[in-house]
Amino acid sequence: MKIGIYPGSFDPITNGHLDIIERASKICDKVIVAVLENPSKNPMFIIEERVTLIKEVIKSFENVEVDSFSGLLIDYAAKKSANVIVKGLRAVSDFEYEFQMALMNRKLSPELETIFLMTSSQNSYLSSSVVKEVARFGGCIEGLVPQPIVKAILKKL
């Protein structure tokens, strides 16, 4: 069984993330969207809120679940018996960092593969940071994130 982990902060989840989840769900038997607890970041949504929001917007994917973790991704992957890490790439600038992380994960856990999925062109500019910034300045975020996320962001602001 191919179990893929799609890790990230997902603060908030965007349509770009959903695109990667949908495509990964066709490649893997099971996909775990793993929300990273990162103490060095100042998130808009606490970890429990992010997990709840993601669960709401991925309901239609039968082979996708949501969880949270902290610590090393390879340790979490071993705990979940995952054999694939799924990473989304928007631009060449993403690749450099993600390539370095993939090599380190490979060194620490040689049996764990990393697959890179290029984002769809309509989402290549999209990031959680951009969504939050646009929302903070009163811009329209419709079409950038799912409707439940739009509501949650506007409520937070």
Side-chain angles (χ1 to χ4, degrees), residues 71-144:
L72 288 176
L73 177 58
I74 58 154
D75 293 337
Y76 179 75
K79 179 179 155 189
K80 293 295 188 174
S81 302
N83 43 18
V84 177
I85 297 171
V86 177
K87 299 299 288 195
L89 298 176
R90 291 174 303 216
V92 174
S93 56
D94 288 345
F95 180 75
E96 203 169 323
Y97 172 77
E98 295 298 350
F99 183 65
Q100 184 180 23
M101 293 307 298
L103 290 175
M104 179 54 74
N105 287 334
R106 182 72 173 240
K107 172 141 180 59
L108 297 172
S109 184
E111 68 285 352
L112 195 56
E113 289 292 339
T114 299
I115 60 170
F116 296 105
L117 297 176
M118 295 301 299
T119 190
S120 300
S121 59
Q122 69 265 29
N123 296 314
S124 62
Y125 63 92
L126 193 52
S127 71
S128 296
S129 301
V130 167
V131 168
K132 288 186 286 193
E133 189 170 338
V134 169
R136 281 189 186 110
F137 288 105
C140 179
I141 56 171
E142 300 278 339
L144 305 179

Side-chain angles (χ1 to χ4, degrees), residues 7-154:
S9 57
F10 305 105
D11 184 46
I13 192 167
T14 68
N15 288 342
H17 294 128
L18 287 176
D19 173 54
I20 299 296
I21 291 168
E22 179 179 4
R23 291 164 51 213
S25 74
K26 294 173 184 173
I27 296 169
C28 299
D29 300 306
K30 177 178 171 182
V31 175
I32 302 167
V33 178
V35 183
L36 174 62
E37 228 175 306
N38 189 342
S40 66
K41 287 190 173 183
N42 185 20
M44 175 179 272
F45 297 99
I46 62 170
I47 194 100
E48 295 82 7
E49 290 173 316
R50 286 180 271 159
V51 168
T52 300
L53 288 168
I54 295 167
K55 283 181 179 178
E56 186 175 346
V57 299
I58 59 107
K59 283 187 234 178
S60 63
F61 301 107
E62 292 180 14
N63 64 334
V64 179
E65 64 182 57
V66 184
D67 195 13
S68 62
F69 78 103
S70 60
L72 288 176
L73 177 58
I74 58 154
D75 293 337
Y76 179 75
K79 179 179 155 189
K80 293 295 188 174
S81 302
N83 43 18
V84 177
I85 297 171
V86 177
K87 299 299 288 195
L89 298 176
R90 291 174 303 216
V92 174
S93 56
D94 288 345
F95 180 75
E96 203 169 323
Y97 172 77
E98 295 298 350
F99 183 65
Q100 184 180 23
M101 293 307 298
L103 290 175
M104 179 54 74
N105 287 334
R106 182 72 173 240
K107 172 141 180 59
L108 297 172
S109 184
E111 68 285 352
L112 195 56
E113 289 292 339
T114 299
I115 60 170
F116 296 105
L117 297 176
M118 295 301 299
T119 190
S120 300
S121 59
Q122 69 265 29
N123 296 314
S124 62
Y125 63 92
L126 193 52
S127 71
S128 296
S129 301
V130 167
V131 168
K132 288 186 286 193
E133 189 170 338
V134 169
R136 281 189 186 110
F137 288 105
C140 179
I141 56 171
E142 300 278 339
L144 305 179
V145 295
Q147 196 56 42
I149 309 302
V150 171
K151 290 178 184 174
I153 290 171
L154 295 178

